[in-house]
Amino acid sequence: MDAALLLALGLLAQSLGLCVGVPGLHRPTTLYPWRRAPALGRVRRAWVIPPISVSENHKRLPYPLVQIKSDKQQLGSVIYSIQGPGVDEEPRGVFSIDKFTGRVFLNAMLDREKTDRFRLRAFALDLGGSTLEDPTDLEIVVVDQNDNRPTFQQEVFTGRVVEGAVPGTYVTRAEATDADDPETDNAALRYSILEQGSPELFSIDEHTGEIRTVQVGLDREVVAVYNLTLQVADMSGDGLTATASAVISVDDINDNAPEFTRDESFMEAAEAVSGVDVGRLEVEDRDLPGSPNWAAKFTILEGDPDGQFTIRTDPKTNAGVLSVVKPLDYESRQLYELKVSVQNEAPLQAAAPRAQQGQARVIVRVQDTNEAPVFQENPLRTSLAEGTPPGTPVATFSARDPDTQQLQRLSYSKDYDPEDWLQVDGATGRIQTQRVLRPASPFLKDGWYRAIILACDDASPPRTATGTLSIEILEVNDHAPVLAPPPLPSSLCSEPHQGPGLLLGATDEDLPPHGAPFHFQLSPRFPELGQNWSLSQINGTHVHLRPRLRLTEGPHALRLLLRDSGRPPQQREQLLNVTVCRCGPDGTCLPGTAALRAGHAGLSLAALLTVLASAAALLLLVLLMVLRTRCRQRSQDKGLMHGLQDDLRDNILNYDEQGGGEEDQDAYDINQLRHPTKLTAPPGRPPLRRDTPYGRLPPQPPRVLPTSPADISDFISDGLEAADSDPSVPPYDTALIYDYEGDGSVAGTLSSILSSLGDEDQDYDYLRDWGPRFARLADMYGHP
């Protein structure tokens, strides 16, 4: 603070009755803060003390600031004290007061940047500690000094600007701060550029720090990055200074067109191949590598009408790579002259100079090579009817050799024929069948059979072509529909409108359209069927069978005619056996008619007669064997096993018993067959069976054999019922027990003949009467 200012402050303080201590004055000013004003006007209780200024960083300590006094007591009878920040509050010890004289001292250097003012309270007490005056405020203001340099907010400022930018284009902004009092010149900052090279293309606003271009001439290809040295100074540019850097990058624009390094290039390409590279076209571009301004894009302008070539860009070198995308043919063209142009992906700036070598000529020579044969139609599709016999021609799968300049011969062979169904003529490629293809072949997919044929030339090295032959197997209507087995039991109610009827269905081995819908019809050869029965169609595969009028109970044989939907249609007549029964209200057969439903198994009348005839023949054979054995019974001394009482005939009769199981072993006495002598009944009344249902009945009259096949079933049923009711004969179910194989024979085994002691005395000639099988034994053991 200069002398004039200090003098002015002293005069101001004196005029107010105050003394203000300012650094630089030799004696502190005396203040009377509690002096009363004259009583002429309004009475003020205390003086208002103006702030006391003191410079920061003052080094002559302790330094007297001010002296305060009270006019209530004589000097030496008043005790003074101060309180507040800098005294008894942090920061402590900055200020102190002489309690007897009232002089206030500065004890430490002040820093305005930390605390710019202190507010204290002054007290005046008598010697007894009583308050003489009310406390008064004492404010101390710290005066700023230029003790802080300005500071940039960052060491390096970065900016970007496109090349060719016009003057005044904003680039970036530099910012700095100063810790000194912003109301003084100590913090008045000014910016400048210390260094930027030549020419000077940038300027900085000294007040705001904004950096802008000042002239044209930015060229990234010349200078890509500019480094500037910046300065900031306080005291409006005359005080303390600081420096920083500014890095300005120049962004590229497409102001350079790509150019070919050569006007003409020569290359060679092999024929009959594609997807191969032929050669490279080198280009130059001064723009930023890797950017769209640098990336080249090639175009074939002339010489490739069929689009057989293409040029792609190598992203690393920016060169054009010429490649073949469609196979070349030496026989049709041996030389290509291509006119190629190049340009960037990004559009060229309007003011940029045009390229001098933006086009080039490329000459491509075609090399002759051995080409593979070519099938004229690949894949080849044809069709055959299913069941085609061997030797049927399929197709001629021929190929041609593109090498017209060379004489070559082609041969044909099979590469894939999983069913070994086809035969290929190696010279002509003519294909025919060599067997019938199985309809259930696993290699027949959705009606198609696929084979692969090879065509090979005889050049060195040979070339091979692969052709696919697809044969559609056409469905043929070669199967008539078949009646599906009806549900069991296949019985119908005798009344027309009683019961659900019988559901009939059909199947066909042929595929559509040669299968369903099926046509069901009662055989027209039997008109009476249409009078007694009716068929109602349910869907394409099923019908309902019902009687038209009341029918007799028992088995009925129907003839059905089934026809499919093929062209031409196939039909079949089938026999259907059903049983008509008497039904209850719920539409089911009554229990009493169960015996009449034997026809549900689907046996025809002829089949039933065959079974019964076979059973009767078997029973007759057993009886004949028994009678023959009895007639040939010899005396004891000429028996087969001398000294044995057992009859050997049970070894012949006891086999293959098929009876009622363990519960039916006593249906009749098997010992009667083992001992035929006991078969003769004693005289008198024949024995009666205990299980006869009706007791003793009078003898039945002889029955007359039926003359019509329709009466056979009634004849058998009546006979079985009569046999079951006759108490003097075995029950009718014993007719099922034949060829009994029981627990063993009481006679010895046949091998005991060899162990007999009197073997040589035996007479085995009677074995010849037993048939050819025993004649061999008679020859071995009989008399020579």
Side-chain angles (χ1 to χ4, degrees):
M1 188 177 295
D2 55 12
L5 180 61
L6 294 175
L7 180 59
L9 291 175
L11 292 175
L12 178 62
Q14 289 179 0
S15 66
L16 296 174
L18 300 174
C19 291
V20 180
V22 180
L25 297 181
H26 298 286
R27 300 179 65 182
T29 302
T30 301
L31 299 178
Y32 295 92
W34 298 284
R35 179 174 292 177
R36 297 287 191 271
L40 296 178
R42 184 167 59 89
V43 179
R44 292 185 300 174
R45 296 186 57 191
W47 295 93
V48 177
I49 303 175
I52 301 172
S53 298
V54 59
S55 177
E56 66 173 336
N57 301 320
H58 189 76
K59 298 180 180 179
R60 291 180 295 172
L61 303 173
Y63 177 75
L65 295 178
V66 70
Q67 183 178 7
I68 59 176
K69 286 186 179 182
S70 174
D71 54 2
K72 294 291 185 178
Q73 296 284 354
Q74 294 295 328
L75 184 62
S77 61
V78 179
I79 298 175
Y80 300 96
S81 65
I82 56 176
Q83 295 178 359
V87 182
D88 56 352
E89 298 178 14
E90 294 296 335
R92 297 175 183 271
V94 177
F95 304 100
S96 64
I97 188 171
D98 190 325
K99 64 180 179 178
F100 296 110
T101 64
R103 298 176 68 185
V104 179
F105 293 92
L106 174 66
N107 299 323
M109 286 193 302
L110 300 177
D111 187 356
R112 192 205 65 83
E113 286 70 43
K114 292 184 179 179
T115 306
D116 60 350
R117 65 185 59 236
F118 294 89
R119 288 182 176 85
L120 307 178
R121 291 179 68 80
F123 299 90
L125 306 175
D126 60 15
L127 296 179
S130 299
T131 302
L132 296 177
E133 305 286 351
D134 292 334
T136 187
D137 294 331
L138 182 63
E139 184 176 7
I140 301 174
V141 178
V142 182
V143 178
D144 181 52
Q145 288 185 345
N146 190 18
D147 59 346
N148 291 280
R149 289 181 177 274
T151 304
F152 280 104
Q153 291 187 355
Q154 56 194 65
E155 294 182 0
V156 180
F157 296 91
T158 60
R160 308 191 72 87
V161 62
V162 297
E163 60 178 336
V166 297
T169 301
Y170 174 82
V171 179
T172 186
R173 180 182 179 183
E175 294 182 285
T177 59
D178 196 316
D180 291 326
D181 189 357
E183 302 297 329
T184 65
D185 283 348
N186 297 334
L189 304 182
R190 298 294 183 268
Y191 298 93
S192 61
I193 298 177
L194 293 181
E195 183 180 356
Q196 63 173 313
S198 180
E200 296 182 355
L201 301 177
F202 303 95
S203 66
I204 187 170
D205 189 304
E206 64 174 355
H207 295 286
T208 62
E210 290 184 355
I211 300 175
R212 296 177 180 270
T213 60
V214 293
Q215 60 178 331
V216 296
L218 289 174
D219 189 354
R220 191 208 65 83
E221 287 73 39
V222 177
V223 179
V225 178
Y226 290 87
N227 293 293
L228 282 62
T229 302
L230 308 179
Q231 177 181 280
V232 62
D234 58 13
M235 299 297 290
S236 298
D238 297 329
L240 302 176
T241 62
T243 59
S245 298
V247 178
I248 301 175
S249 300
V250 181
D251 291 338
D252 182 56
I253 62 174
N254 191 14
D255 55 349
N256 293 279
E259 296 184 353
F260 287 101
T261 58
R262 290 185 297 178
D263 294 337
E264 191 174 60
S265 300
F266 296 89
M267 303 176 186
E268 290 186 348
E271 69 167 336
V273 293
S274 61
V276 295
D277 296 338
V278 178
R280 301 172 70 88
L281 303 174
E282 302 293 338
V283 296
E284 292 180 347
D285 195 319
R286 298 178 58 197
D287 290 320
L288 180 63
S291 68
N293 302 324
W294 173 82
K297 182 173 60 175
F298 299 88
T299 305
I300 300 177
L301 301 178
E302 298 176 1
D304 185 24
D306 298 328
Q308 294 176 295
F309 297 93
T310 187
I311 304 179
R312 71 178 187 276
T313 303
D314 187 339
K316 295 182 179 179
T317 64
N318 212 27
V321 181
L322 180 65
S323 59
V324 179
V325 293
K326 293 182 180 179
L328 304 176
D329 187 9
Y330 176 83
E331 286 71 25
S332 60
R333 187 171 180 179
Q334 294 84 32
L335 186 68
Y336 290 85
E337 293 186 8
L338 308 178
K339 185 178 180 181
V340 181
S341 68
V342 62
Q343 58 186 1
N344 294 125
E345 292 182 359
L348 190 66
Q349 295 295 322
R354 296 293 170 178
Q356 299 297 325
Q357 297 180 356
Q359 295 182 0
R361 191 164 67 104
V362 182
I363 299 176
V364 181
R365 297 185 182 276
V366 182
Q367 297 175 340
D368 187 20
T369 59
N370 181 32
E371 302 176 68
V374 178
F375 282 100
Q376 299 178 0
E377 183 181 357
N378 192 13
L380 178 62
R381 292 180 172 86
T382 185
S383 60
L384 288 177
E386 66 172 343
T388 298
T392 302
V394 178
T396 299
F397 205 4
S398 60
R400 64 176 182 85
D401 194 343
D403 296 313
T404 58
Q405 306 275 342
Q406 305 175 19
L407 184 60
Q408 297 177 356
R409 181 176 300 174
L410 301 182
S411 60
Y412 301 89
S413 61
K414 293 190 302 182
D415 181 63
Y416 179 75
D417 182 15
E419 281 286 347
D420 195 21
W421 178 42
L422 305 175
Q423 183 179 9
V424 180
D425 189 320
T428 63
R430 189 176 296 109
I431 303 172
Q432 64 181 10
T433 62
Q434 61 181 357
R435 59 175 49 85
V436 177
L437 181 64
R438 296 181 299 137
S441 172
F443 303 102
L444 198 60
K445 304 296 184 181
D446 298 327
W448 286 86
Y449 183 84
R450 188 174 68 93
I452 296 178
I453 308 301
L454 301 179
C456 182
D457 60 22
D458 58 353
S460 180
R463 298 294 301 274
T464 302
T466 301
T468 301
L469 176 63
S470 297
I471 306 173
E472 183 182 13
I473 306 303
L474 301 178
E475 180 73 18
V476 176
N477 190 18
D478 53 352
H479 294 87
V482 178
L483 188 66
L488 297 179
S490 56
S491 56
L492 291 168
C493 295
S494 58
E495 296 294 336
H497 302 292
Q498 205 174 19
L502 185 62
L503 180 65
L504 301 179
T507 59
D508 197 326
E509 295 184 19
D510 293 320
L511 298 176
H514 303 300
F518 303 121
H519 177 72
F520 296 80
Q521 180 184 2
L522 295 168
S523 177
R525 297 189 301 111
F526 301 94
E528 64 276 7
L529 295 177
Q531 301 174 2
N532 298 332
W533 304 91
S534 67
L535 293 173
S536 58
Q537 194 85 21
I538 298 177
N539 50 36
T541 58
H542 290 78
V543 295
H544 253 134
L545 175 66
R546 291 179 178 275
R548 291 184 180 274
L549 44 84
R550 179 182 178 84
L551 299 176
T552 58
E553 300 177 17
H556 290 259
L558 284 74
R559 290 282 178 176
L560 296 181
L561 184 64
L562 283 73
R563 185 169 62 252
D564 59 22
S565 299
R567 290 293 182 271
Q570 293 281 351
Q571 64 182 15
R572 182 196 306 257
E573 184 176 287
Q574 280 193 268
L575 175 65
L576 175 66
N577 294 313
V578 297
T579 299
V580 176
C581 62
R582 186 172 65 257
C583 295
D586 57 351
T588 59
C589 294
L590 296 176
T593 62
L596 296 177
R597 288 187 289 154
H600 78 276
L603 292 176
S604 63
L605 181 60
L608 181 61
L609 292 176
T610 303
V611 173
L612 294 177
S614 300
L618 184 59
L619 291 175
L620 181 60
L621 179 61
V622 173
L623 293 176
L624 290 177
M625 292 180 65
V626 172
L627 293 177
R628 183 176 180 180
T629 303
R630 291 185 58 191
C631 293
R632 293 186 177 275
Q633 184 178 10
R634 297 179 180 271
S635 59
Q636 287 277 333
D637 55 337
K638 298 183 66 176
L640 179 61
M641 303 299 294
H642 186 74
L644 295 177
Q645 300 299 324
D646 299 328
D647 192 351
L648 297 180
R649 285 173 296 178
D650 55 357
N651 291 336
I652 299 175
L653 297 177
N654 296 339
Y655 65 93
D656 292 339
E657 177 187 7
Q658 298 185 8
E662 295 179 359
E663 301 298 331
D664 197 20
Q665 294 298 323
D666 297 331
Y668 63 90
D669 189 5
I670 193 66
N671 290 326
Q672 294 180 4
L673 295 179
R674 295 178 178 174
H675 304 284
T677 56
K678 299 181 180 181
L679 292 176
T680 305
R685 188 170 56 186
L688 298 178
R689 286 184 12 244
R690 298 180 180 180
D691 61 344
T692 177
Y694 305 107
R696 186 171 182 179
L697 296 177
Q700 300 294 329
R703 303 174 65 223
V704 181
L705 291 177
T707 58
S708 174
D711 299 331
I712 293 296
S713 177
D714 296 338
F715 176 79
I716 295 174
S717 299
D718 295 340
L720 293 176
E721 184 178 359
D724 194 31
S725 302
D726 192 350
S728 61
V729 298
Y732 73 89
D733 59 352
T734 56
L736 298 178
I737 301 175
Y738 58 92
D739 294 350
Y740 173 81
E741 292 182 8
D743 297 330
S745 172
V746 296
T749 62
L750 190 60
S751 61
S752 61
I753 299 176
L754 299 176
S755 60
S756 175
L757 296 178
D759 189 35
E760 63 280 359
D761 298 332
Q762 296 292 332
D763 185 6
Y764 299 103
D765 292 338
Y766 69 93
L767 293 176
R768 302 179 189 275
D769 298 333
W770 289 12
R773 295 174 182 259
F774 295 93
R776 181 64 175 170
L777 291 176
D779 294 339
M780 295 174 60
Y781 293 95
H783 294 288

